[in-house]
Amino acid sequence: YLPRYVSGYKITATKNYISVERGVFIRKETIMPQPRLIYARKITTVLSARFSLCLLVFSATRGFLVLPPIEKETANDILRLLDGE
């Protein structure tokens, strides 16, 4: 179930924004500009750590954006990109 769930997402991260497209028949795109980003949280549970997965939650002034479970290396790359490293 998890691979099929994650395959319905397309994540694009640049220095200027984070974009998440989701859905199969009905596509929904959410874009969060980097200047509105207040902080990012990386969440790892015991089960997700076993599979090297984690969640990223980005908080903005008026809401938040939750990414689907992704590999830890990919999450770290997104965080480094947004941090400007």
Side-chain angles (χ1 to χ4, degrees):
Y1 175 74
L2 185 61
R4 183 167 287 211
Y5 172 73
V6 173
S7 69
Y9 280 83
K10 179 184 175 193
I11 302 167
T12 306
T14 68
K15 290 183 179 183
N16 299 322
Y17 66 90
I18 301 167
S19 170
V20 177
E21 290 181 56
R22 66 183 175 136
V24 177
F25 296 111
I26 299 173
R27 302 289 291 174
K28 180 179 176 182
E29 182 176 17
T30 305
I31 298 174
M32 179 178 286
Q34 198 274 347
R36 293 188 183 201
L37 183 64
I38 296 175
Y39 69 90
R41 242 182 323 169
K42 184 165 78 168
I43 302 171
T44 305
T45 64
V46 175
L47 185 60
S48 66
R50 178 134 173 100
F51 296 103
S52 291
L53 298 173
C54 66
L55 288 172
L56 285 179
V57 180
F58 298 101
S59 295
T61 53
R62 294 185 180 172
F64 58 92
L65 177 64
V66 179
L67 299 186
I70 56 177
E71 294 180 356
K72 285 183 180 181
E73 280 299 314
T74 305
N76 290 335
D77 291 342
I78 291 172
L79 293 175
R80 270 191 236 108
L81 179 69
L82 293 173
D83 197 27
E85 293 180 13

